[in-house]
Amino acid sequence: ETDDGDILIPFRHIMDSLALKLIPEGAKIQTCDVARFGTDKTVIQILQKADGGWKQIFCLSKQGIDTMQTTGWNVEVRREFKTDFLVVDDDGVGGGVVDSLKCRGFLNGGRAKQPDKFMNQKAECYFKLAELIEQNKIVFKVQPFRDVIVQELDMIRRRTPEADGKLAVISKDEIARMHGKSPDYADAIMMRMYFELFPNYGSYSWA
């Protein structure tokens, strides 16, 4: 179980990010959270380098699309926005999309860069996201998804550390049970943090 003391990203920090005025310039990083179930949504979003931080310049979701359609949609978005780098959810059905696009795959349960401190890759990226939001380095501006992004980021909770003291966040399934919805938009934003932890962009640009 969780309570308010387990909040990872304080609501006031999320709201502060909405008021930032960052001018986008530089690299554009595209992420895709692939739907696994009928009620989940496949989400693509783009964050662009902006004044020492990152500004969201695109966010859209689709429901009920298969992996071939998801692959094609990613290609269309890339061509329209000329994005530089892509990371796609590599768990479950997302693996087929990663294979087709030959892009970097994100494994939620994958090994963290700091394995002594974080339970897995997802936890490390969410804690990094919380840090950048607190530092006013990320701004969310895309309508009509701004409100749902705020809601989902506010749903992310720390998990009580295991006996080894490693930091973790509650799972997507737990959030869905608690709130009746999956944090698809929040996860798409969280995956962007992979490039903060592993910034070797050149080896993982588009094929």
Side-chain angles (χ1 to χ4, degrees):
E1 295 184 0
T2 61
D3 56 36
D4 288 346
D6 299 314
I7 291 173
L8 178 61
I9 310 174
F11 188 72
R12 67 182 185 279
H13 293 163
I14 300 172
M15 296 308 293
D16 285 346
S17 74
L18 304 180
L20 297 175
K21 296 181 179 179
L22 302 181
I23 300 174
E25 57 183 6
K28 299 173 187 174
I29 295 180
Q30 179 175 328
T31 70
C32 179
D33 183 55
V34 183
R36 298 174 183 77
F37 311 110
T39 56
D40 286 358
K41 296 179 178 64
T42 292
V43 178
I44 292 179
Q45 67 97 41
I46 300 170
L47 283 168
Q48 184 174 10
K49 192 73 175 175
D51 294 342
W54 295 89
K55 182 174 182 177
Q56 185 185 51
I57 63 170
F58 176 83
C59 181
L60 193 63
S61 65
K62 292 185 179 183
Q63 193 168 351
I65 61 175
D66 60 28
T67 54
M68 289 185 63
Q69 291 170 312
T70 300
T71 298
W73 185 28
N74 271 283
V75 172
E76 290 171 6
V77 171
R78 185 258 175 161
R79 287 174 178 165
E80 180 179 353
F81 288 88
K82 296 181 174 58
T83 50
D84 300 287
F85 309 101
L86 170 68
V87 59
V88 174
D89 172 17
D90 202 1
D91 289 321
V93 296
V97 179
V98 172
D99 290 345
S100 296
L101 293 171
K102 296 181 175 60
C103 63
R104 182 171 289 196
F106 186 93
L107 291 168
N108 289 278
R111 181 181 172 85
K113 185 177 182 180
Q114 301 179 71
D116 317 350
K117 184 175 181 180
F118 296 99
M119 181 64 63
N120 51 37
Q121 187 169 278
K122 179 178 180 177
E124 189 169 24
C125 285
Y126 259 122
F127 274 84
K128 185 64 177 180
L129 176 62
E131 176 188 321
L132 294 189
I133 290 176
E134 181 179 2
Q135 294 172 354
N136 292 326
K137 290 185 176 180
I138 295 184
V139 57
F140 305 108
K141 288 291 188 181
V142 178
Q143 293 287 13
F145 301 103
R146 193 179 75 170
D147 291 344
V148 71
I149 289 170
V150 169
Q151 180 188 45
E152 289 190 7
L153 289 175
D154 190 49
M155 292 181 340
I156 306 302
R157 294 290 186 271
R158 303 168 183 255
R159 179 185 291 285
T160 302
E162 303 293 335
D164 57 11
K166 291 183 181 180
L167 299 173
V169 294
I170 61 175
S171 71
K172 197 167 190 172
D173 290 342
E174 288 175 280
I175 291 174
R177 286 196 297 271
M178 292 167 58
H179 298 278
K181 61 174 297 184
S182 177
D184 303 314
Y185 296 93
D187 278 1
I189 294 167
M190 172 273 298
M191 287 192 293
R192 158 66 189 87
M193 298 301 106
Y194 190 94
F195 290 103
E196 294 292 318
L197 302 174
F198 302 97
N200 184 20
Y201 295 155
S203 299
Y204 291 89
S205 58
W206 288 80

